[in-house]
């Protein structure tokens, strides 16, 4: 009965390094979302997976960002050649069905790029 | 494009006083509306949602919100706040279908003893 989990909870990296963030959705949830929360800002949509459909990547800010999801399980968000403006809290959410049902959020990964 | 505006970035209020957090959305199509709360160092938790039907929606922890289509608003209210209500509150909209949420920038509610 666990909720959405994310790891690591905190990540400090140097500019130019690659980072990988992990999200474990609630079992059985078909939809998985990645959002970014920069200081003083709302949540920005990054990418969305729905079942076996092609992911909606329209929110990814650059080609340095990519994400994968295997079936309806774990997802990883990868940021290559990190920049200081990538510093943010990265939040993952999952839902049973898209369109009006509750999205359950994980605690987030706080990424700091030095 | 869909957008959500939260008019107040910070709202200080004394304990047991009423509070209203304002939210306006812009959309040319019908949307679902949500309020989420984020307590310090925690993830987002759903307070309430409006999908259709009655325009007054009741949520957890004594919060309620009213959908006003003519004013494109979905303001959040509580008649008497507690210290434990201190948190960041986010309004969000979602067009029907397989779409992600569009969030406002958040309102930080600070309840003063």
């Amino acid at each position: 009965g666990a909720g959405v989990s994310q790891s690591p909870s905190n990540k400090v990296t140097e500019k130019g390094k690659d980072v990988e963030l992990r999200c474990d959705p609630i079992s059985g949830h078909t939809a998985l979302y990645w959002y970014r929360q920069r200081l003083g800002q709302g949540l920005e949509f990054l990418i969305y997976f729905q079942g076996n459909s092609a992911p909606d990547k329209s929110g990814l800010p650059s080609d340095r960002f990519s994400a994968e999801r295997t079936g309806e399980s774990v997802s990883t968000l990868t940021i290559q050649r990190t920049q200081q403006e990538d510093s943010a809290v990265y939040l993952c959410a999952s839902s049973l069905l898209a369109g009006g049902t509750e999205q359950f959020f994980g605690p987030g990964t706080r990424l700091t790029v030095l | 494009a869909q957008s959500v505006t939260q008019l107040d970035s910070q709202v200080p209020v004394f304990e047991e006083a009423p509070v209203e957090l304002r939210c306006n959305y812009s959309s040319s199509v019908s949307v679902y509306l949500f309020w989420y709360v984020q307590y310090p160092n925690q993830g987002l938790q759903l307070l309430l949602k409006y999908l259709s039907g009655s325009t007054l929606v009741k949520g957890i922890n004594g919060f309620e919100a009213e959908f006003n289509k003519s004013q494109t608003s979905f303001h959040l209210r509580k008649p008497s706040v507690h210290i434990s209500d201190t948190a960041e509150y986010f309004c969000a909209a979602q067009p029907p279908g397989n779409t992600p949420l569009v969030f406002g920038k958040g309102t930080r509610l600070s309840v003063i003893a």
Side-chain angles (χ1 to χ4, degrees):
Chain A
V4 178
S5 62
Q6 293 185 246
S7 61
S9 56
N10 281 284
K11 176 71 176 178
V12 180
T13 190
E14 294 180 346
K15 177 181 173 182
K17 300 284 189 183
D18 297 351
V19 296
E20 194 171 273
L21 313 180
R22 177 188 170 105
C23 171
D24 280 274
I26 294 172
S27 178
H29 279 194
T30 58
L32 186 147
Y33 304 80
W34 283 98
Y35 295 90
R36 177 171 71 175
Q37 184 179 21
R38 288 189 282 192
L39 190 64
Q41 303 293 315
L43 279 74
E44 304 170 70
F45 161 70
L46 296 177
I47 187 169
Y48 157 56
F49 296 89
Q50 169 63 27
N52 294 320
S53 301
D56 177 353
K57 303 180 182 180
S58 60
L60 295 179
S62 78
D63 58 8
R64 296 186 294 104
F65 288 72
S66 62
E68 293 183 350
R69 185 184 188 194
T70 305
E72 296 182 357
S73 61
V74 171
S75 175
T76 55
L77 176 69
T78 302
I79 308 173
Q80 296 178 310
R81 305 181 304 280
T82 52
Q83 304 295 312
Q84 288 184 333
E85 62 262 29
D86 299 334
S87 295
V89 177
Y90 289 82
L91 290 162
C92 174
S94 70
S95 67
L96 195 57
L97 288 171
T101 62
E102 180 178 354
Q103 292 185 18
F104 293 82
F105 283 81
T109 294
R110 182 175 298 277
L111 174 66
T112 303
V113 182
L114 301 176
Chain B
Q2 179 73 49
S3 68
V4 175
T5 302
Q6 291 184 244
L7 297 165
D8 305 296
S9 59
Q10 297 187 59
V11 173
V13 62
F14 287 103
E15 192 175 17
E16 297 184 6
V19 69
E20 178 180 83
L21 306 183
R22 296 179 291 170
C23 173
N24 287 86
Y25 67 94
S26 66
S27 176
S28 58
V29 299
S30 298
V31 293
Y32 301 139
L33 295 163
F34 304 81
W35 275 98
Y36 280 85
V37 60
Q38 186 176 33
Y39 297 106
N41 300 315
Q42 295 187 28
L44 273 74
Q45 179 182 359
L46 182 68
L47 272 179
L48 48 80
K49 62 184 177 183
Y50 172 78
L51 304 184
S52 64
S54 173
T55 57
L56 183 62
V57 180
K58 294 189 181 297
I60 62 171
N61 300 339
F63 284 93
E64 63 181 33
E66 185 158 17
F67 170 63
N68 187 319
K69 187 174 182 179
S70 63
Q71 296 186 5
T72 60
S73 68
F74 191 55
H75 301 333
L76 181 70
R77 302 185 183 99
K78 186 170 182 177
S80 175
V81 295
H82 301 130
I83 295 289
S84 60
D85 293 324
T86 294
E88 188 93 19
Y89 291 79
F90 292 94
C91 182
Q94 181 187 43
N98 296 338
T99 60
L101 294 166
V102 176
F103 284 87
K105 292 188 176 182
T107 298
R108 181 170 298 278
L109 175 64
S110 299
V111 181
I112 306 160

